[in-house]
Amino acid sequence: MDAVLDEAAGKRARGLDRAFEILDFLREKRQALKPNEIAAQIGAPRSSVYELVNLLLRNGILEFTGGEGRVYLGRKLYFLGAAYENHFDFTRECEAALERLADETRETAQFCMLDGNKYTVVRMREGARPFRISTDVGQSVPIPWTASGRVLVSHMTDAEILAFIPPQDFQLPSGEWLDPATFLAEVRAAEGDGHFTFNSIVDSFTHCFAVPVMGDAGHAVATLCLVAPRADGLANREQYLACLKDAARRLGGHAPAQAKRA
Amino acid sequence: MDAVLDEAAGKRARGLDRAFEILDFLREKRQALKPNEIAAQIGAPRSSVYELVNLLLRNGILEFTGGEGRVYLGRKLYFLGAAYENHFDFTRECEAALERLADETRETAQFCMLDGNKYTVVRMREGARPFRISTDVGQSVPIPWTASGRVLVSHMTDAEILAFIPPQDFQLPSGEWLDPATFLAEVRAAEGDGHFTFNSIVDSFTHCFAVPVMGDAGHAVATLCLVAPRADGLANREQYLACLKDAARRLGGHAPAQAKRA
DNA sequence: ATCATATGTACATTATATTGGACATTGACG
DNA sequence: CGTCAATGTCCAATATAATGTACATATGAT
C-alpha cells in the first residue's frame, strides 16, 4: 500500500506496519502464499516475515490453507469486517440501490469507495448484457483511472490531492501519463456538477457515470456508478444521471449510523 | 481474547497482540470508544494505546467515528474480511441453506463457527415466531454454553479441549459451574452421533439442535443449528435433525475452495 | 556426485518500540 | 475559587522486536 517504496532505505520497519503490509499483499494477490514467497515479493526480511506470520496465525488473522504451509487471510478478519459492516449499516440499502439501478438502466451498477489512496469496487450488480468489466470487486485501482476517483477526492484541496495520490498512479494502463493538472480540473468539474462522466480510460468501449454518496462529514464517502457501452451511455446520459442521483440521495440521506448507545 | 489475564504480569506486551486486543475489544463492545476508555477497560498503558490507535488509524484499520475522538473498526477491515469471505466462498450457499432450513422448519436457523476459543453466530435466519434469541450475530459466547460448542470441538482430544477452553467459561450464565467431565462426555456423544441437541442452558424455554459442517481437514469447521421452543423441538426432533443433516451435507460436500491459481 | 534454488529454523545484535510518569487542558462540582 | 476526574501529549529508559546471518533440508538440474 503505502509501502511501494518504504520511506528511506535502511530503516527498520515497524511490526504492525509490516503485518498490515502482508495482509494487504495477500488481499491483492487473492491467493494463499508461502511465507517465503511473501517475503520475497514484498521485499521484507524473511526472518521478520516468518515471525509476523506466526504471530498472525496465532491470532487467527491468518490461516493455513492451500497446503505446503501456505497462508491466507483468516477468519478473525471476517469477523472484524462483519462488525464494521454491521456498525455502518450500508450493505442492505446499498444492495437495494444497486438492484434498482440495474433494473432501471439495465447497465452494470457499482458501489465504490476509497481504500487508503486507491479506488475499489465494494459491490457490483451486473447489467443486462454483461461484458468483460475491467475491475473486479475488491481490486485496488489507481484513483486517476476512474470516474469515481474524481468524485471521491473532490473535497480535498489541489495540494492535498497531489499529496494523497501516489505519483505513479497517474500513469494510465496504456502507459501514457495523465497530466495532474488535467486531473485536477476534472475533479473541480465533478465537484461543481455533483457528478462525473467520461469514456473509460481503462478500456475503449465503455462510458462511466459516477455520483457521490454523501456522508456525515459533508463530502463523498462513496460513489454510485454505472458502466455502459459508449453509444448507450451517451444516448441515455440524462436519464442515467437522474437515476444515479436519486439513488445516491436516498443512500446518503441519513447519517451513516452513529454508534448505538449500549 | 487470550489476554483475559496476560501470561505473567510485569511483561511488556507485543504491539501486534495489543493491537488485535484493541480490535477484538471494540468488536465486543460494538461501539466507538475513546482511546482513554479502551486503555482503562483492557488494562493497558494509556501511552501504548494512544500510540497503537494512531498507527491503526493511519492504516485505515480504525476510524474516527462518533465524535469526541472516539474510534471504531475501520474500512480496511471490511475489505480484508470481504477478501476472506470471497476466498472461502461459503456465504452464498450458507444463506441458501439457512433459508431452506427456516422454510422447512419455521424455526430460527443459525450458522456458527469458532472465533478463537469462543463460539459465535456467523449468520442467522429468524424463524416464523420470533422470540428473544439470547445470542446476537457476532457476539462471542463461551463454548460450553451452546450445543454447537460440543460439535465444534469434538475433533480434539479431551486434554486439548480442556487446554483450549478458558476454565472460567465453564461457569454458566446462571452462575452454576458445569462439570468439565460432563461436558467432555457430551462432546464424545456429539462426536459419535454426528449431532447434539439439548435444552438450552442459556435460557429456559428453547431446545437447540446442532450438526457439523465438515471441512477439508475432516472435522467440523462450522455448525448448522436450530433453536426451537422446547415442546416444538421435542415433537419434531427427528424431522429437524434430518433437515439439518441434509443441509450440512450439501454445505460441506465440496472442499472450501482452494486458492484459484493465478 | 555436484551445484543451485527454495524453504524453514535458530540465534546474537542493536535499533527502537513499549512503557511509566510528568505535564497540560478541560469540565464538573461544591 | 480550588479540587477532582477525564483526557490527551510528551519524553527518557530499557526490555525486546526486527533484522542479518548461518545453518539444515529438500528438490531438481547438470
Side-chain angles (χ1 to χ4, degrees), chain B residues 168-186:
Chain B
Q168 65 270 24
D169 283 7
F170 285 100
Q171 185 170 30
L172 305 180
S174 66
E176 284 179 294
W177 287 85
L178 175 65
D179 180 9
T182 307
F183 177 75
L184 288 175
E186 291 174 347

Side-chain angles (χ1 to χ4, degrees), chain B residues 12-13 15 18 45-48 51:
Chain B
R12 279 194 186 186
R18 208 58 111 185
R46 291 191 311 135
S47 44
S48 303
E51 165 102 10

Side-chain angles (χ1 to χ4, degrees), chain A residues 222-239:
Chain A
T223 60
L224 282 173
C225 316
L226 288 174
V227 183
R230 288 195 176 166
D232 209 31
L234 293 173
N236 299 291
R237 180 185 163 85
E238 297 312 320
Q239 185 219 332

Side-chain angles (χ1 to χ4, degrees), chain A residues 13 15 18 45 47-48:
Chain A
R18 208 56 113 189
S47 45
S48 304

Side-chain angles (χ1 to χ4, degrees), chain B residues 4 41 49 79 106 114 145 151 154 163-164 172 189 217 240 244:
Chain B
V4 177
Q41 297 188 50
V49 172
F79 292 139
R106 322 298 297 164
L114 290 184
W145 294 11
V151 176
S154 62
F164 182 64
L172 305 180
Y240 284 5
L244 278 172

Side-chain angles (χ1 to χ4, degrees), chain B residues 122-243:
Chain B
V122 177
R123 308 192 96 87
M124 175 161 64
R125 178 68 159 70
E126 296 275 2
R129 30 174 158 34
F131 42 64
R132 183 100 216 105
I133 278 288
S134 33
T135 60
D136 287 332
V137 169
Q139 295 291 112
S140 287
V141 176
I143 292 171
W145 294 11
T146 70
S148 290
R150 275 83 178 153
V151 176
L152 287 168
V153 300
S154 62
H155 63 288
M156 303 187 200
T157 66
D158 287 4
E160 284 171 343
I161 292 172
L162 294 181
F164 182 64
I165 300 178
Q168 65 270 24
D169 283 7
F170 285 100
Q171 185 170 30
L172 305 180
S174 66
E176 284 179 294
W177 287 85
L178 175 65
D179 180 9
T182 307
F183 177 75
L184 288 175
E186 291 174 347
V187 170
R188 292 304 154 224
E191 187 181 18
D193 298 342
H195 64 255
F196 189 81
T197 83
F198 72 169
N199 286 329
S200 172
I201 49 186
V202 178
D203 63 59
S204 60
F205 49 92
T206 62
H207 193 80
C208 304
F209 300 73
V211 305
V213 177
M214 290 304 181
D216 273 340
H219 64 251
V221 292
T223 60
L224 282 174
C225 315
L226 287 175
V227 183
R230 287 195 178 166
D232 208 31
L234 293 174
N236 299 290
R237 181 186 162 83
E238 297 311 321
Q239 184 219 332
Y240 284 5
L241 274 177
C243 288

